Amino acid sequence: MSRQPTPPQLLLENQLCFLFHRISRDLDAAYRPLLNELGLTYPQYLVMLVLWEQDGRSVGEIGQELCLDSGTLSPLLRRLQVRGLLERRRDPADERRVTLHLTRDGWALRRKARDIPESLGRKIVDDPAAYLQLHAQLTQIAERLEA
Amino acid sequence: MSRQPTPPQLLLENQLCFLFHRISRDLDAAYRPLLNELGLTYPQYLVMLVLWEQDGRSVGEIGQELCLDSGTLSPLLRRLQVRGLLERRRDPADERRVTLHLTRDGWALRRKARDIPESLGRKIVDDPAAYLQLHAQLTQIAERLEA
DNA sequence: CATAAATATATTGTGCACAATCTAATTGCA
DNA sequence: TGCAATTAGATTGTGCACAATATATTTATG
């Protein structure tokens, strides 16, 4: 039987990838109680961030911003629509496109979300300088992986 | 209407959390072609890593190692069993426990996985010193979030 | 010893992620 | 103009993640 000891690179504790995987789930769990009060999941919250920043974007534009395809976004957007947070309209200029438009309730939710980012940020790193350093380093890693 | 400009902390580009979310998915995508050749998904690969390191662990022990509950692990382990990579046995000493045991095929897969970690590691950071620094920083963040 | 509490795992239901496929609309070009 | 290629989005199917709940076994307690 091939029961040699496991080579060190196959040990879980040495793997950077698992740390990213794990932190991503930790963050999701940290967001959950806060977002529950807004009735949103984390990916739904991301879509709301994108629309709060610029309303009326299309499905494709949101997908590009969040690196998500229509298979993920279509049902997610339908749930936000059912909740009454946004409307979907066919773009008259290009009938293939569907644009999303926040409702009054969708805009109102922004006030309740205002304090979430800072609250979460503090859970990751305390020091603002470390925050910026890590942000820069991770941005570089993400872009490298997406290249 | 409440159409004040979005406060900066609600801007997607300023958020560390989204970077973690995004990198986690980028890594998943980077693993996919490599793991496809082994017929594994990334979470299945994590379970195999844990068992290669120490065979015969229980569902709960694996869950603790990977921070996963039985709702995720039960069906995942069943798929690995159906693939013939492991067997599940009721622990005779405690009939509530189910222990997992790699088959010959499960062990054989370790050889094919040997080069994956290094290949992935290089996609994240080139410099070994930077790898270690980031590993330490992320470990601290993960432990802080899980505290 | 009987039974209540705790523990280990499984099941169900919801939602995200992504590949593959499909439809409809638009664009390019011969 | 007419048709092929492209583009936008939706749908389907598989798998992960997690909350809530259920079941069976073990342990603790009176």
Side-chain angles (χ1 to χ4, degrees), chain B residues 3-21:
Chain B
R3 310 291 170 80
Q4 307 299 317
T6 291
Q9 73 273 15
L10 283 181
L11 293 177
L12 188 65
E13 58 176 0
N14 296 337
Q15 298 211 7
L16 210 46
C17 303
F18 178 57
L19 277 169
F20 278 110
H21 185 75

Side-chain angles (χ1 to χ4, degrees), chain B residues 14-143:
Chain B
N14 296 337
Q15 298 211 7
L16 210 46
C17 303
F18 178 57
L19 277 169
F20 278 110
H21 185 75
R22 187 173 147 201
I23 289 172
S24 175
R25 289 195 292 125
D26 290 340
L27 287 174
D28 201 65
Y31 271 108
R32 195 163 299 120
L34 302 179
L35 290 178
N36 269 344
E37 296 186 22
L38 314 197
L40 296 175
T41 64
Y42 182 62
Q44 289 169 7
Y45 168 72
L46 291 176
V47 168
M48 295 303 285
L49 286 182
V50 168
L51 288 175
W52 285 329
E53 191 168 336
Q54 185 186 335
D55 195 21
R57 288 200 246 206
S58 70
V59 175
E61 285 164 345
I62 293 174
Q64 187 163 18
E65 201 73 24
L66 301 179
C67 316
L68 291 172
D69 72 6
S70 67
T72 302
L73 282 176
S74 284
L76 188 158
L77 291 167
R78 183 171 34 251
R79 283 186 283 271
L80 292 179
Q81 181 187 24
V82 168
R83 267 204 165 73
L85 298 178
L86 52 80
E87 290 172 6
R88 345 174 71 191
R89 302 186 199 135
R90 284 278 159 192
D91 183 347
D94 183 344
E95 292 278 346
R96 294 171 304 178
R97 288 159 49 90
V98 170
T99 54
L100 292 314
H101 305 268
L102 293 171
T103 61
R104 181 181 297 269
D105 283 355
W107 280 111
L109 213 55
R110 187 173 57 162
R111 238 182 323 101
K112 298 177 73 177
R114 207 184 40 219
D115 296 334
I116 291 182
E118 197 190 330
S119 159
L120 256 290
R122 269 202 309 274
K123 290 190 183 177
I124 304 176
V125 278
D126 253 332
D127 177 26
Y131 188 101
L132 290 176
Q133 177 272 327
L134 188 56
H135 189 286
Q137 189 175 11
L138 295 185
T139 300
Q140 194 184 337
I141 289 173
E143 283 168 359

Side-chain angles (χ1 to χ4, degrees), chain A residues 9-11 14 27 37-38 41-42 44 47 49 62 76 84-85 89-90 97 103 120 124 133 138 141 144:
Chain A
Q9 72 273 15
L10 282 180
L11 293 178
N14 295 338
L27 288 174
E37 297 185 22
L38 313 197
T41 64
Y42 182 62
Q44 289 169 8
V47 167
L49 286 182
I62 293 174
L76 188 158
L85 298 179
R89 301 187 200 135
R90 282 280 160 192
R97 288 159 50 91
T103 62
L120 256 290
I124 305 177
Q133 178 271 327
L138 295 185
I141 289 173
R144 186 184 162 111

Side-chain angles (χ1 to χ4, degrees), chain A residues 69-108:
Chain A
D69 71 6
S70 67
T72 301
L73 282 174
S74 284
L76 188 158
L77 291 167
R78 181 170 42 248
R79 285 186 282 271
L80 292 178
Q81 180 187 24
V82 167
R83 267 204 164 75
L85 298 179
L86 53 78
E87 289 171 5
R88 345 175 72 191
R89 301 187 200 135
R90 282 280 160 192
D91 183 347
D94 183 343
E95 292 279 346
R96 293 170 306 177
R97 288 159 50 91
V98 170
T99 54
L100 293 313
H101 305 268
L102 293 171
T103 62
R104 181 180 297 268
D105 283 355
W107 281 111

